[in-house]
Amino acid sequence: MIPAEQCIFSLVILFAFGLAVTGWFDRRRRAIAARLEQIVAAGEPPLLVINQADLRHERAYIGGVSGSARAGVLVLTPQRLTLYERTPEMREILSFAPEQLRWFGRPHKYTSGYNDIWLHVEQPPGWLLLKIRLYRTTMAGLVRALKAFAAPELVTAYRRRRPYIHAGPLKAAPAAQDIYGAWSLAQPVSLYLMPRFLVILDGETVLRAIPLEAVQQIGALRRLDVPGTQGLVRFRAEDETFAFALDGHEALAAALAEAAKRTLEAPVERKQKTRDDDEYPEYEDLIEALPLPEQAAKRR
């Protein structure tokens, strides 16, 4: 048996260690709050400040390496959304202006616990996808603040019929057809379909972002000049004809047609609006992801 004196000594050590850890966390929390107060005081009045230990975010440029979930502090003003490290130094992680925001929306209906929101941002070096996770009540506050921050057309896009459509990035080769019907293929690029744009990328670099409301005459074609090879997606937009050869061309053509159609639809209107739509969103969103060709094959 362990002597009573040794047990008491161990308990005293554990208690002292617990006090030290608690004190360290408390000093850290107060240091973060003090630094945040300085940041807020030095800028314009914020629409929203979120300094909660459970805020988690992931950020990755489309075509690049995905990031892992990290803690952060969010400050939203009419002119900037800025994420800081949740450390006493409060180093800036990310900052962007309203004109750089391309879309925002929640990938799932609200739950009673934690919820996610996705933000698409176009800024150097490319197209950034920012995912933020917050508890429900805090998420509702963020959505309301984003509606004041974002351009009106983004708020309209947020309210459109769900599910939102995302697909890719998918490797695709730009294609051109000669007068004899033969197709020639250029160096592959990446296509990324999201609720407002079809984004064409070279690695992480955005070559072009085509507004979906401009996309029309969408078709899925099989190559008659070289049967059995990749099919093509062809469409017109902004007075140009585009064609891309890729695996799963029919699925992408269908997703592109549906996404383009939704950009022309009016937002869903409720018969009765007795509750705040951010607190009680009965008509909320699901992400409809187009599987990569190899994933689709596995499902079949």
Side-chain angles (χ1 to χ4, degrees):
M1 295 180 62
I2 300 174
E5 294 83 359
Q6 188 174 347
C7 289
I8 294 172
F9 178 76
S10 299
L11 289 174
V12 169
I13 293 297
L14 288 174
F15 181 72
F17 178 76
L19 286 178
V21 170
T22 302
W24 182 85
F25 276 108
D26 186 59
R27 289 191 299 272
R28 186 175 184 272
R29 179 186 59 78
R30 286 189 277 111
I32 292 171
R35 176 67 182 129
L36 179 58
E37 186 176 342
Q38 292 175 350
I39 291 172
V40 171
E44 59 183 332
L47 297 170
L48 183 70
V49 175
I50 302 176
N51 176 23
Q52 295 180 191
D54 59 354
L55 185 155
R56 289 292 183 271
H57 71 277
E58 298 178 33
R59 66 189 195 285
Y61 284 94
I62 301 301
V65 179
S66 298
S68 57
R70 298 173 58 188
V73 175
L74 185 147
V75 177
L76 180 62
T77 73
Q79 301 302 320
R80 309 269 332 156
L81 185 152
T82 306
L83 271 173
Y84 299 92
E85 291 181 348
R86 198 168 192 276
T87 64
E89 295 77 20
M90 293 279 289
R91 284 184 289 267
E92 184 179 301
I93 298 171
L94 166 72
S95 184
F96 61 86
E99 56 268 20
Q100 294 175 298
L101 182 63
R102 296 291 177 262
W103 183 82
F104 68 95
R106 290 190 301 276
H108 305 287
K109 291 182 179 181
Y110 267 121
T111 68
S112 59
Y114 287 97
N115 294 265
D116 298 312
I117 191 166
W118 290 13
L119 292 84
H120 288 265
V121 181
E122 187 177 4
Q123 64 172 198
W127 194 278
L128 177 71
L129 176 57
L130 172 64
K131 301 179 182 180
I132 297 175
R133 170 164 290 190
L134 288 165
Y135 198 72
R136 175 172 179 151
T137 52
T138 311
M139 178 63 75
L142 176 58
V143 170
R144 284 194 295 271
L146 283 172
K147 288 177 181 177
F149 173 80
E153 59 268 24
L154 272 68
V155 179
T156 299
Y158 175 86
R159 295 185 181 279
R160 282 202 175 100
R161 182 168 63 91
R162 281 65 168 180
Y164 299 128
I165 295 177
H166 289 75
L170 302 170
K171 284 294 182 185
Q177 190 175 32
D178 63 23
I179 60 174
Y180 303 105
W183 292 92
S184 59
L185 305 182
Q187 288 295 317
V189 295
S190 294
L191 301 181
Y192 180 64
L193 177 62
M194 49 84 67
R196 294 187 62 234
F197 295 94
L198 177 65
V199 187
I200 305 173
L201 305 109
D202 180 9
E204 293 185 19
T205 303
V206 176
L207 300 176
R208 188 160 180 175
I210 302 173
L212 292 185
E213 62 265 22
V215 175
Q216 55 186 319
Q217 299 177 25
I218 302 163
L221 312 176
R222 296 185 182 275
R223 290 187 62 178
L224 301 179
D225 58 332
V226 188
T229 57
Q230 291 178 321
L232 299 109
V233 174
R234 184 170 64 183
F235 59 90
R236 283 191 58 81
E238 300 177 328
D239 298 323
E240 295 182 52
T241 298
F242 297 84
F244 297 92
L246 73 158
D247 295 327
H249 68 291
E250 292 178 338
L252 180 60
L256 179 60
E258 181 63 22
K261 182 181 72 173
R262 292 184 188 184
T263 64
L264 305 177
E265 295 176 348
V268 175
E269 296 292 338
R270 300 191 182 176
K271 294 180 180 179
Q272 291 183 334
K273 189 174 181 180
T274 59
R275 295 173 171 178
D276 187 295
D277 65 340
D278 296 319
E279 292 287 358
Y280 302 92
E282 290 87 349
Y283 300 95
E284 273 313 321
D285 37 306
L286 294 170
I287 291 293
E288 181 179 51
L290 178 69
L292 296 175
E294 59 268 22
Q295 294 172 330
K298 290 178 182 178
R299 292 182 183 180
R300 290 196 296 270

